[in-house]
Amino acid sequence: MHSREIREQFLKYFEKKGHTRVASSSLIPHDDPTLYFTNAGMVQFKELFLGYEKRNYVRAATSQKCMRVSGKHNDLENVGTTPRHHTFFEMLGNFSFGDYFKEEAIAYAWEFLTEVVKLPKEKLYITIFEKDDEAETLWLKHVSKDRIFRLGEKDNFWSMGETGPCGPCSEIHWDFGSGSVKKEDLSSDRFMEIWNLVFMQCNRSSDGTMTPLPKPSVDTGMGLERLSCVLQGKKSNWETDLFVPIIKEIKKVVGTHFKTHPPLNPLPSREGKIDVSDESSQFSVAMRVIADHVRAATFLIADGLFPSNEGRGYVLRRILRRAIRYARSLEMQKPFFAEISQTVIREMEKAYPELVQHREIIEKVLTNEESKFLETLERGMEILEEEFAVLKNVIPTKVGIHDPLKKLDSGFRRNDIKSTGKIVPGGIVFKLYDTYGFPKDLTELIARERGFSIDENGFDEAMEEQRQRARKAWKGSGAVKTDPIFQKMKGEGVRTDFVGYEKENEDGCVLRLIKDGKIIDHAKVGEEIQLVTDKTPFYAESGGQVGDTGFGANNDIEIQILDTQKPFADLFVHQIKIVSGELTPKQILQMQVNSERRQKIRLNHSATHLIHHALREILGTHVKQAGSYLDDHHLRFDFSHFEAIREEQLADIEQKVNQMVTQNLKVKTLVLPYPEAIAQGALAFFGEKYGDVVRLVDIGGISKELCGGTHVVQTGEIGLIEIVRERSVASGVRRVEVVTGEVARQYQKPSVVDAPPKKEKKKTDISQVLASLGDFTKMVQSIKGVSLVARQISAEDAGALREVADQIRQKISSGIVVLGSEIEGKVALVVMISKDLTSKYNAGKIMKILAEKVGGTGGGRPDMAQGGGPEVSLLPKTLDSVVTLL
């Protein structure tokens, strides 16, 4: 049975059992700061299991794209040398959200395996949690007792985390052998787990207490690769139709370069590694590594990830570098991964149409990364050869005396060299792995050819240190973890009806008042709190667009609304200040959006769509949105592209956009099912989570994007668009910074002949300001572990001050930036805070205090605020006060 049939039969079977077929979510987890990648089918349903989200179904079935690149069962270095270690895989799963439980889950699994795909019952064995008598009773309806084994918590109990939903699980194992079976046999090469049924029936508190869940749920997972292996009568996943076409294509491409074309070596045991000392085995490992890694990279890039030097992008880069090195072992000197990716797309496009949609960008990213790294590898080989030369002549000395690779700045001291001088130090092996992409087994292989061995213990120590550093450095997906108080409110059914597309004012009933993460029953004059109402016209920050501001009032109270956020899709939280009166629950407020600010934001949001269209038309359809930010002052748009945009191209893009503005194109919004929107040609973006019904913004039939933001009615409202700057922000990602409307007119060239354009002067001013700051590292202070830059600078205007602050914030990655300047005889201040710190620090609150010190006012969002005042002489003292304030 072909894997496509297996996948489809699984989903159809559960559809007949009342399950909703749900499309795979992205490999990049949406709003989950705890995960690098989606690693299980339940990830997209996490909020459902926790009770924070409701959907129009209580049963679901999926074939979920998953990535696992580390941990007990998925060490990257094992991929290619064992029968079933992979980076990317598909997990078939059926789920019950408080609907059916153990009896149905067990019955469904058994019926599917034995009656739908017709596996022989005598080859299936069951494990259950040692204390789960109920599961055993239910399994005895299908199998004899001698085929059921009880295991402990380590093997058959599952938790979502240290606290929260958890419960026993039951696993179904396939027997590759024959004869009698003992419990210990289940962990041998003879058996393979194919399906895990998790019964979430308890809630674990922080003290370890277990209480029954009011609505127990089911979460199951079965690897498509493993099931295909069994149904196709194979011993290894590599022999299934999921990999054979890819490996065949690699052999075809490599054929003219590799001297011999040996058959793929059979893999030994289930988890044992093959001997890579002979050429045939080297060839086998290389084929499998390239097939797995190109497959994984193809899917990651299609989901919007690009190689980089940090976070998820670094994992993708490591995967590609390992594959490239194995390609070099096959004497491949030129990039060819893009060619192999086409086989992946062809084999998987029916199940995952996004691969076809992103074909061009996949090809470009793979070719670009492969080309650059081939150059890096040359240097890595040179360093390794230098090390061999040194070790051949080394005289045994104490640790650290002789370090010819000190220039690598590896951070690891040379391990003690034995008297033979024939051991490559673990720190060097790790540096070659970490910086130059040399897997340990590759360095070991090369070393063995030269008569050396490697210090494996030293490498393992260095590797563990790196893992610890990575865990500490990982800031998550960029999403701020949702405050528990909002999770609780969500579970209680608190909802907000957003009416802001049609109205800019609406009466809202006060549902909750929150201060410092706690529900309060009243708020008085001067207090800044959070407010949730049953209705709101205020747009909450999302999709790159900032939240609305404005005010609310009734006969007894007046409030200022400083920002609007959205912890959940239908829960809007307003950051407010009480101006007069006392606010209590159940009051009715007349809520009014700042219409002038909203209109400026509209201009910028519609402009992003026009910019995106023009970029794709002039640079190519490989251009995809990689991020955006827009407020009432400017917009920035990040997109996939691999070289700087030439001046003439920028001019063409700007001209194209302004042409669409002057055409006064009509902007229409349609609400329709997701598949229908995609069929109409709508673009969907990485990082966004789309529901079954979506909002399509159609600008003149030219630009069609899925978007939840606010927009103009016709493009003529935008007036003018000026591209202020273009630059690189990451490998393969560029950024344009743009202004519109009245702000754009300030950047117009006063005279083509008599004076340089203002926008060019602004660029120069900003670069000069940054240069004048000198050694950047000397500006950074550490306040209780938080990086702070508080500095007075010279800036031409508030826009330049803001841009300098933004660049400094990007450079320090995590921290707080406070800049002040004297502009036209007054103080201008800006506060910027990196997203990971906004749960602890609030830029708007900091600005309010600082602005008062210079006799003025200010405010803004949690991550950015502006303000100022007339007391220029107090600016130095005000900036000095930031340390104490923090």
Side-chain angles (χ1 to χ4, degrees):
M1 189 184 292
H2 195 282
S3 59
R4 283 195 292 267
E5 297 175 77
I6 299 169
R7 185 193 298 115
E8 186 61 23
Q9 285 213 15
F10 177 87
L11 295 171
K12 279 187 174 178
Y13 170 81
F14 280 100
E15 279 184 308
K16 290 178 182 177
K17 299 296 183 183
H19 293 65
T20 297
R21 183 188 295 217
V22 179
S24 171
S25 63
S26 170
L27 286 167
I28 315 300
H30 180 81
D31 287 347
D32 191 335
T34 65
L35 292 175
Y36 263 78
F37 299 111
T38 299
N39 58 9
M42 62 76 61
V43 171
Q44 70 164 308
F45 301 118
K46 190 173 179 180
E47 301 297 312
L48 271 173
F49 282 124
L50 290 169
Y52 302 148
E53 184 181 346
K54 301 290 182 185
R55 298 189 190 177
N56 60 358
Y57 52 81
V58 290
R59 300 182 176 197
T62 66
S63 180
Q64 174 65 49
K65 300 178 292 189
C66 295
M67 278 288 298
R68 291 182 186 172
V69 290
S70 62
K72 180 181 177 182
H73 300 297
N74 285 78
D75 186 348
L76 183 61
E77 299 307 313
N78 284 330
V79 176
T81 64
T82 68
R84 52 194 125 270
H85 274 101
H86 304 294
T87 52
F88 171 88
F89 64 98
E90 292 179 76
M91 185 174 284
L92 305 172
N94 59 288
F95 307 89
S96 164
F97 312 110
D99 186 23
Y100 65 83
F101 199 44
K102 291 181 186 179
E103 182 171 10
E104 295 92 335
I106 288 170
Y108 291 156
W110 189 253
E111 183 179 45
F112 177 77
L113 290 178
T114 61
E115 297 183 29
V116 178
V117 297
K118 302 188 183 306
L119 289 180
K121 297 177 181 179
E122 66 273 12
K123 303 285 282 182
L124 298 171
Y125 287 80
I126 311 301
T127 62
I128 61 173
F129 180 50
E130 58 190 358
K131 299 178 182 179
D132 195 351
D133 296 333
E134 181 187 8
E136 181 178 72
T137 300
L138 293 170
W139 271 117
L140 286 172
K141 295 180 180 181
H142 307 284
V143 298
S144 57
K145 189 163 186 174
D146 63 324
R147 304 170 74 79
I148 303 172
F149 296 92
R150 292 177 180 250
L151 298 178
E153 186 169 342
K154 180 182 177 183
D155 296 295
N156 278 75
F157 195 91
W158 184 90
S159 302
M160 190 176 285
E162 292 182 7
T163 61
C166 58
C169 59
S170 181
E171 296 173 340
I172 305 173
H173 298 256
W174 173 259
D175 184 5
F176 283 103
S178 59
S180 61
V181 176
K182 297 177 182 178
K183 183 187 291 188
E184 52 267 26
D185 294 332
L186 294 170
S187 59
S188 71
D189 304 330
R190 176 177 164 179
F191 285 88
M192 177 176 71
E193 174 208 328
I194 56 174
W195 205 341
N196 187 11
L197 316 178
V198 177
F199 309 124
M200 283 189 275
Q201 63 188 55
C202 302
N203 187 66
R204 192 192 334 242
S205 63
S206 56
D207 64 2
T209 303
M210 298 278 200
T211 55
L213 288 172
K215 290 187 176 181
S217 298
V218 172
D219 160 26
T220 86
M222 174 165 55
L224 177 62
E225 289 77 7
R226 294 190 176 199
L227 185 58
S228 297
C229 176
V230 171
L231 288 170
Q232 294 171 14
K234 308 299 182 183
K235 295 286 186 180
S236 157
N237 294 355
W238 306 105
E239 301 171 78
T240 68
D241 66 295
L242 288 162
F243 289 98
V244 167
I246 306 172
I247 292 173
K248 187 181 292 185
E249 183 64 23
I250 297 169
K251 292 179 79 170
K252 176 184 171 183
V253 174
V254 168
T256 56
H257 298 272
F258 200 66
K259 294 174 183 176
T260 61
H261 224 195
L264 288 188
N265 267 8
L267 288 155
S269 62
R270 182 158 60 111
E271 300 301 340
K273 291 189 176 183
I274 65 174
D275 179 10
V276 295
S277 60
D278 67 271
E279 188 180 71
S280 180
S281 292
Q282 292 174 44
F283 180 81
S284 300
V285 173
M287 291 290 106
R288 294 172 181 127
V289 168
I290 295 168
D292 174 276
H293 291 7
V294 172
R295 190 169 88 128
T298 298
F299 274 90
L300 285 170
I301 297 165
D303 278 354
L305 188 65
F306 301 119
S308 69
N309 288 328
E310 60 183 16
R312 295 182 179 122
Y314 180 59
V315 176
L316 173 56
R317 175 160 284 166
R318 277 181 58 208
I319 290 170
L320 282 172
R321 286 181 172 184
R322 184 168 187 257
I324 293 166
R325 186 58 192 90
Y326 275 100
R328 282 295 301 274
S329 75
L330 301 178
E331 301 180 8
M332 291 297 292
Q333 305 292 331
K334 295 181 179 179
F336 71 102
F337 288 177
E339 193 174 345
I340 305 305
S341 72
Q342 298 312 301
T343 301
V344 177
I345 294 171
R346 185 176 63 250
E347 293 293 318
M348 306 290 277
E349 64 182 331
K350 189 172 181 181
Y352 302 105
E354 65 268 23
L355 296 176
V356 179
Q357 183 184 359
H358 299 95
R359 184 192 302 271
E360 186 179 355
I361 190 65
I362 291 167
E363 291 179 353
K364 286 183 177 290
V365 171
L366 289 175
T367 302
N368 184 64
E369 187 70 10
E370 206 175 351
S371 299
K372 289 195 301 184
F373 188 55
L374 283 170
E375 298 173 7
T376 306
L377 274 174
E378 293 296 335
R379 178 57 186 144
M381 283 302 298
E382 288 174 13
I383 288 171
L384 193 51
E385 292 294 350
E386 289 172 11
E387 176 68 5
F388 292 146
V390 169
L391 289 174
K392 285 178 182 177
N393 301 302
V394 73
I395 300 172
T397 61
K398 292 184 179 180
V399 177
I401 299 297
H402 173 67
D403 195 355
L405 293 186
K406 186 177 179 181
K407 59 188 173 185
L408 284 179
D409 188 26
S410 68
F412 301 102
R413 299 179 69 191
R414 177 179 297 278
N415 293 278
D416 198 8
I417 300 170
K418 294 182 180 179
S419 58
T420 60
K422 293 288 187 179
I423 300 177
V424 180
I428 302 303
V429 178
F430 174 77
K431 188 63 181 182
L432 287 166
Y433 162 82
D434 193 46
T435 302
Y436 295 95
F438 282 49
K440 181 183 73 173
D441 53 2
L442 172 64
T443 303
E444 183 177 20
L445 182 64
I446 297 170
R448 193 183 304 153
E449 291 172 354
R450 306 292 199 279
F452 295 87
S453 61
I454 66 170
D455 174 15
E456 295 206 29
N457 290 335
F459 173 84
D460 291 342
E461 290 173 10
M463 191 70 187
E464 182 55 33
E465 287 186 32
Q466 195 255 18
R467 289 192 183 105
Q468 294 291 341
R469 289 195 300 273
R471 280 192 283 268
K472 290 178 181 177
W474 170 240
K475 299 182 182 70
S477 63
V480 178
K481 189 174 182 180
T482 305
D483 193 304
I485 190 65
F486 301 126
Q487 294 178 336
K488 184 172 184 290
M489 288 165 56
K490 180 76 171 176
E492 293 170 347
V494 178
R495 302 286 187 272
T496 305
D497 180 17
F498 174 62
V499 299
Y501 293 136
E502 302 83 21
K503 304 177 182 179
E504 293 187 2
N505 60 78
E506 178 63 278
D507 288 351
C509 177
V510 177
L511 299 179
R512 297 288 190 277
L513 306 176
I514 307 102
K515 187 172 184 179
D516 298 328
K518 297 179 180 178
I519 301 292
I520 58 175
D521 57 13
H522 69 282
K524 298 181 178 179
V525 175
E527 284 192 84
E528 290 193 12
I529 65 166
Q530 292 169 305
L531 164 70
V532 176
T533 55
D534 66 336
K535 294 180 182 179
T536 184
F538 284 72
Y539 182 87
E541 181 173 356
S542 61
Q545 178 177 327
V546 296
D548 279 334
T549 62
F551 63 90
N554 58 33
N555 292 334
D556 302 313
I557 189 167
E558 181 181 349
I559 66 170
Q560 183 181 359
I561 299 178
L562 308 172
D563 189 22
T564 310
Q565 296 291 319
K566 186 167 61 174
F568 294 103
D570 52 2
L571 183 63
F572 285 56
V573 180
H574 309 85
Q575 184 72 35
I576 70 166
K577 179 180 179 180
I578 312 296
V579 178
S580 65
E582 181 175 332
L583 187 63
T584 59
K586 298 184 180 180
Q587 283 187 337
I588 303 297
L589 292 172
Q590 297 161 2
M591 304 175 72
Q592 173 66 54
V593 171
N594 182 333
S595 297
E596 182 180 350
R597 180 175 180 269
R598 164 82 80 88
Q599 176 61 7
K600 291 176 181 177
I601 294 170
R602 282 197 192 99
L603 304 185
N604 285 331
H605 205 148
S606 296
T608 63
H609 289 220
L610 300 182
I611 288 283
H612 193 190
H613 175 76
L615 287 167
R616 287 170 59 82
E617 186 168 286
I618 291 169
L619 301 181
T621 55
H622 66 278
V623 167
K624 300 286 183 186
Q625 178 174 337
S628 67
Y629 173 83
L630 61 107
D631 57 19
D632 52 323
H633 302 291
H634 73 302
L635 70 93
R636 61 174 184 248
F637 186 82
D638 297 348
F639 56 97
S640 53
H641 193 56
F642 299 94
E643 59 186 3
I645 303 176
R646 300 189 305 274
E647 283 293 332
E648 58 269 27
Q649 289 177 313
L650 276 176
D652 290 343
I653 292 164
E654 196 173 84
Q655 182 181 18
K656 176 68 179 175
V657 173
N658 280 308
Q659 185 181 31
M660 289 186 282
V661 170
T662 56
Q663 287 175 335
N664 201 23
L665 302 172
K666 189 173 182 179
V667 180
K668 296 188 298 181
T669 57
L670 303 170
V671 177
L672 65 173
Y674 178 83
E676 188 177 331
I678 297 300
Q680 288 192 21
L683 296 176
F685 304 123
F686 157 62
E688 291 298 308
K689 183 179 180 181
Y690 299 107
D692 297 331
V693 177
V694 294
R695 188 166 179 263
L696 169 61
V697 176
D698 181 338
I699 303 182
I702 295 173
S703 165
K704 295 181 180 181
E705 298 188 10
L706 301 187
C707 178
T710 58
H711 288 273
V712 298
V713 176
Q714 291 187 273
T715 58
E717 296 175 43
I718 299 172
L720 181 69
I721 290 177
E722 283 277 324
I723 298 175
V724 177
R725 190 181 183 202
E726 186 274 340
R727 62 190 175 102
S728 170
V729 291
S731 177
V733 180
R734 308 292 301 181
R735 170 178 293 174
V736 288
E737 297 172 14
V738 179
V739 290
T740 65
E742 288 301 319
V743 180
R745 292 190 176 89
Q746 298 174 12
Y747 290 93
Q748 282 283 69
K749 305 170 186 178
S751 169
V752 175
V753 177
D754 298 334
K758 285 187 179 181
K759 67 176 180 179
E760 293 297 330
K761 183 174 186 295
K762 184 177 179 65
K763 284 186 194 176
T764 305
D765 287 345
I766 291 167
S767 62
Q768 288 175 349
V769 170
L770 288 169
S772 71
L773 296 177
D775 185 355
F776 174 77
T777 58
K778 293 181 180 178
M779 289 193 295
V780 182
Q781 305 175 63
S782 180
I783 310 300
K784 293 188 176 180
V786 175
S787 295
L788 166 69
V789 174
R791 188 76 177 256
Q792 181 173 349
I793 67 170
S794 297
E796 186 182 55
D797 54 36
L801 184 68
R802 188 171 59 247
E803 188 167 351
V804 172
D806 189 35
Q807 291 202 31
I808 293 175
R809 176 171 59 175
Q810 291 180 43
K811 286 178 182 291
I812 63 176
S813 180
S814 173
I816 299 173
V817 180
V818 182
L819 297 183
S821 184
E822 180 183 350
I823 299 174
E824 297 180 354
K826 295 182 179 180
V827 172
L829 292 165
V830 64
V831 177
M832 289 196 178
I833 299 177
S834 57
K835 287 284 188 183
D836 61 306
L837 296 176
T838 52
S839 60
K840 185 176 181 181
Y841 299 101
N842 185 296
K845 291 182 179 179
I846 293 173
M847 176 55 70
K848 178 178 178 294
I849 296 170
L850 296 180
E852 288 177 355
K853 291 179 181 291
V854 292
T857 60
R861 306 188 310 275
D863 64 326
M864 195 280 284
Q866 299 178 98
E871 303 295 337
V872 176
S873 62
L874 298 178
L875 176 56
K877 186 177 179 180
T878 299
L879 291 171
D880 289 341
S881 73
V882 175
V883 172
T884 305
L885 177 60
L886 294 184

